[in-house]
Amino acid sequence: MVGVDALAWTVEDKEPPASSAINVFVTGQPGVGKTSLVLNAVKKLPKDMIAGFYTLEARNPRTGEKVGLDIETLSGECAPLSRLRRGCGPKVGKYYFAMEAFERLVLPLLKPSKAIKLHVIDEVGRMELQSEHFKDALMALLASPNVAVFGSLPACRYGHDLPFVEAIKQRSDTAILTLTKSNRDATALQVEALLRNIVSSASVSSAPVNSPVEISSRGSSPEFTCSSFSPYIVSFKNNEEPPEKKRRTSDSKTT
């Protein structure tokens, strides 16, 4: 774990460090549970004080083949992030980035607001970083004194970070926690305590800390099709197991 001095703290301590505008990111290998940790922590926070998005796999409903990724906001709006077919936007690996749809949905979520105390970003990945507007908006948000950012970062490749990701990790106001299969439970407790402390410092909350945050599909960009199947729902029972990154299906045809 690296980051601000305030994170020289363990879950055994009585109180997490006082901080009203600390940025917190988790990183780790694909499939280790970053999105599950993010969503499970977010569902325990007051819904009126948070905004953001997360990513889901998109699959062809007929073949089950993965055709890309979707993004979904915490308020339930949906848009494609990437697709196999040409014409969506810049190519990253074997996928094409649906930049216009992504920017249309995500950029408004990155504007500082008095009502929003915590911005959730899952993830700051190679696809998302093709958007210069996204990078500019995120850096401005990270520097905003009265809001915090909570999200996920991709793991290093060949021992090196993406330059933009490295810049985030080097910020003195940002904490980075590396998630592994062996430390998931302890890291989740630490993240939840930090986020509770961040939002509890807000002076504009009228909702209890355990207010439900419903995450479901309710719309999409007109140029692309999100899942027409059952929505992705995060339940809010106190004893529920952490949600896993579930697969979505898409009506989009592959090339």
Side-chain angles (χ1 to χ4, degrees):
M1 180 180 67
V2 297
V4 295
D5 294 338
L7 281 184
W9 168 85
T10 65
V11 294
E12 289 81 11
D13 294 328
K14 292 183 179 180
E15 296 292 340
S19 177
S20 61
I22 181 177
N23 305 307
V24 181
F25 286 89
V26 293
T27 187
Q29 295 299 319
V32 76
K34 297 188 296 294
T35 294
S36 294
L37 185 151
V38 168
L39 293 180
N40 201 41
V42 165
K43 74 176 186 180
K44 300 175 182 178
L45 301 175
K47 63 180 181 179
D48 294 338
M49 298 175 62
I50 61 177
F53 71 94
Y54 59 99
T55 58
L56 295 168
E57 287 185 347
R59 291 187 175 270
N60 187 304
R62 295 181 295 278
T63 65
E65 178 189 9
K66 180 180 176 181
V67 296
L69 294 170
D70 288 338
I71 53 172
E72 193 161 326
T73 71
L74 298 182
S75 60
E77 296 176 278
C78 179
L81 174 63
S82 64
R83 289 294 184 267
L84 283 170
R85 68 175 185 266
R86 291 184 175 87
C88 289
K91 189 175 183 181
V92 181
K94 66 177 182 179
Y95 295 102
Y96 292 86
F97 177 33
M99 184 183 299
E100 183 178 348
F102 170 77
E103 291 183 342
R104 184 186 301 115
L105 185 60
V106 167
L107 292 182
L109 302 175
L110 303 183
K111 295 180 179 179
S113 166
K114 291 183 178 179
I116 302 301
K117 191 65 177 177
L118 184 70
H119 293 260
V120 179
I121 301 176
D122 176 45
E123 71 174 342
V124 185
R126 291 170 177 81
M127 191 73 66
E128 293 88 344
L129 292 179
Q130 295 298 307
S131 169
E132 293 296 329
H133 293 304
F134 172 74
K135 292 194 290 186
D136 291 344
L138 177 54
M139 276 304 185
L141 192 62
L142 288 170
S144 299
N146 297 318
V147 299
V149 178
F150 170 49
S152 62
L153 300 172
C156 297
R157 295 185 67 180
Y158 310 112
H160 298 285
D161 275 316
L162 297 170
F164 190 88
V165 171
E166 180 64 25
I168 292 177
K169 289 184 176 182
Q170 295 302 316
R171 293 181 63 90
S172 61
D173 59 357
T174 299
I176 308 296
L177 295 91
T178 300
L179 188 66
T180 66
K181 291 182 178 180
S182 63
N183 73 1
R184 282 186 296 198
D185 291 344
T187 301
L189 290 174
Q190 189 170 18
V191 166
E192 290 168 13
L194 287 166
L195 298 185
R196 283 197 303 269
N197 191 54
I198 289 170
V199 299
S200 67
S201 66
S203 60
V204 292
S205 175
S206 59
V209 171
N210 60 354
S211 298
V213 180
E214 295 186 359
I215 302 177
S216 61
S217 300
R218 295 194 304 211
S220 66
S221 168
E223 290 87 351
F224 302 90
T225 302
C226 289
S227 173
S228 59
F229 290 73
S230 58
Y232 180 84
I233 301 292
V234 173
S235 177
F236 305 101
K237 297 178 181 178
N238 291 333
N239 297 323
E240 183 195 32
E241 292 295 322
E244 295 298 324
K245 181 181 286 189
K246 298 185 178 179
R247 295 174 178 175
R248 298 176 56 101
T249 55
S250 171
D251 294 328
S252 301
K253 296 182 180 180
T254 60
T255 56

